[in-house]
Amino acid sequence: MPITLPRDLPAYRVLSDEGVMVMGQEAAFRQDIRPLRIGLLNLMPMKIATETQFARLIGATPLQIELTLIRMSEHRSRHTAPEHMEAFYHTWEEVREQRFDGFLITGSPIEHLPFEEVTYWDELRRIMDWTQTHVHSSFGVCWGGMAMAWHFHGVEKHMLDRKAFGCFRVTNEAPASPYLRGFSDECVIPVSRWTEMRRDAIEAAGMDVLLDSPETGPCLIEDRAHRAIHIFNHFEYDSDTLKREYDRDIAAGTPINVPGHYYPGDDPTRPPQNRWRSHAHLLYGNWINEIYQTTPFDDALIGTHRQTLGEAPERV
């Protein structure tokens, strides 16, 4: 089954050209099935690139996905055309009465700020609390995952001496986890951040580390008490995303190291190779599958139950 997107959303054409099955909203309405409703709270400045990256991954499963693009009600994007935001995005206030099978909160390039100094922190706190009553499964990405771990558990983020930047090996710490079904013992993932959360604090808060790295610390964690997983790195990145970040900083004169283990021979004149694509599809496909297996068919029941640590997922 395809992912349902507006036909004039840029991601529709990009993904169609890549061979991803996409469906216009009119055709989706004619199918007599309940699609999984996934909300994407997009906090990244380059909205179009980010929405395309996530749509590519969640649209690669056999299930029909209805993707809703969401923005903060109290924040205006400076890097994406107002016409695009008006045409394709809903504010959280506009969708807060709705229920979602899955909900993604992206990263944001504001990790140097204490959480409470982020201009939209109060609204984001309300959204994170709202996920506990209106969302079946949440997925926090990079800063979004750190924000959820801080909000729900008080896990602190720590500034790094230098930016973790490149492609780093992570080890599979929980091969029996349904989210890691099909994963290798090790895999590679892009990393681009100035902060980290530490394993001892994560585990002390009752969360489980699923993927970990001796170089860059915890990568993927599960928060069973809040029906959530968080990833601090970037499986969703395109092959050239780190290159574009590196080239941008070099052009601006910003001190930046060559992204490690990314270019062949660490030579930035050579085209980078994508070594994480298959595991990216595995992780997001496994997340979608877990949602499908456990979410109530009656979407009015979403968020009306709470799973606790150690409790087996509800099968309905």
Side-chain angles (χ1 to χ4, degrees):
M1 290 292 180
I3 184 171
T4 303
L5 300 172
R7 288 187 177 274
D8 46 353
L9 184 74
Y12 188 102
R13 179 181 55 80
V14 172
L15 299 183
S16 295
D17 291 345
E18 292 179 3
V20 177
M21 292 184 65
V22 292
M23 176 183 288
Q25 292 166 316
E26 302 82 3
F29 291 151
R30 293 196 294 268
Q31 292 195 335
D32 188 22
I33 60 174
R34 181 174 95 72
L36 292 182
R37 300 198 67 226
I38 306 295
L40 174 63
L41 179 62
N42 191 351
L43 304 178
M44 290 295 288
M46 310 306 291
K47 306 291 186 193
I48 295 175
T50 301
E51 67 205 26
T52 302
Q53 289 168 350
F54 284 105
R56 176 183 295 116
L57 293 174
I58 66 175
T61 74
L63 305 172
Q64 186 185 128
I65 305 295
E66 178 185 305
L67 181 64
T68 300
L69 301 176
I70 302 167
R71 65 174 177 84
M72 304 300 292
S73 304
E74 303 170 1
H75 182 75
R76 294 289 181 269
S77 174
R78 294 179 298 167
H79 298 86
T80 305
E83 296 80 10
H84 181 87
M85 302 301 296
E86 180 67 25
F88 301 115
Y89 278 77
H90 303 273
T91 66
W92 173 66
E93 292 289 348
E94 292 170 339
V95 303
R96 63 182 302 177
E97 298 303 320
Q98 301 178 27
R99 296 182 187 271
F100 293 86
D101 300 289
F103 196 81
L104 283 151
I105 301 178
T106 74
S108 182
I110 50 176
E111 56 185 326
H112 61 289
L113 293 174
F115 291 113
E116 291 78 6
E117 292 184 13
V118 174
T119 57
Y120 50 76
W121 179 247
D122 286 343
E123 184 180 14
L124 185 58
R125 288 178 59 206
R126 295 194 295 273
I127 293 173
M128 291 186 288
D129 287 337
W130 165 88
T131 65
Q132 300 307 288
T133 55
H134 288 73
V135 173
H136 181 66
S137 178
S138 301
F139 197 154
V141 179
C142 201
W143 183 87
M146 292 186 180
M148 295 185 75
W150 168 251
H151 175 66
F152 287 120
H153 297 282
V155 177
E156 294 185 4
K157 61 182 173 71
H158 300 270
M159 291 297 300
L160 298 170
D161 294 334
R162 58 183 298 182
K163 187 177 184 179
F165 189 48
C167 292
F168 296 90
R169 287 194 171 276
V170 294
T171 58
N172 184 344
E173 300 284 307
S177 168
Y179 299 111
L180 299 183
R181 188 177 294 114
F183 263 62
S184 305
D185 294 337
E186 289 186 337
C187 61
V188 171
I189 185 169
V191 182
S192 179
R193 52 180 164 82
W194 282 97
T195 56
E196 67 176 0
M197 283 188 164
R198 295 173 181 167
R199 180 166 186 152
D200 57 351
I202 290 167
E203 293 178 333
M207 295 182 286
D208 300 314
V209 176
L210 306 184
L211 295 175
D212 196 15
S213 168
E215 294 181 90
T216 57
C219 168
L220 179 69
I221 66 176
E222 181 178 8
D223 181 359
R224 297 189 186 189
H226 296 89
R227 304 188 308 278
I229 56 175
H230 310 312
I231 191 166
F232 301 144
N233 304 331
H234 293 283
F235 269 136
E236 82 279 3
Y237 270 8
D238 295 323
S239 301
D240 65 347
T241 301
L242 291 178
K243 179 183 186 310
R244 286 186 278 112
E245 291 184 15
Y246 176 70
D247 291 347
R248 177 201 63 201
D249 287 350
I250 291 296
T254 303
I256 186 66
N257 53 286
V258 174
H261 320 295
Y262 175 58
Y263 296 105
D266 288 331
D267 180 357
T269 66
R270 301 174 65 182
Q273 293 181 323
N274 190 309
R275 295 179 290 140
W276 61 89
R277 184 183 297 114
S278 59
H279 284 93
H281 282 280
L282 268 178
L283 176 61
Y284 283 85
N286 287 341
W287 179 59
I288 293 294
N289 181 59
E290 277 303 290
I291 292 173
Y292 175 73
Q293 296 293 335
T294 61
T295 194
F297 181 81
D298 181 355
D299 58 8
L301 299 177
I302 290 173
T304 61
H305 65 290
R306 293 292 302 271
Q307 286 175 214
T308 57
L309 287 171
E311 180 183 357
E314 177 187 355
R315 302 292 173 182
V316 295

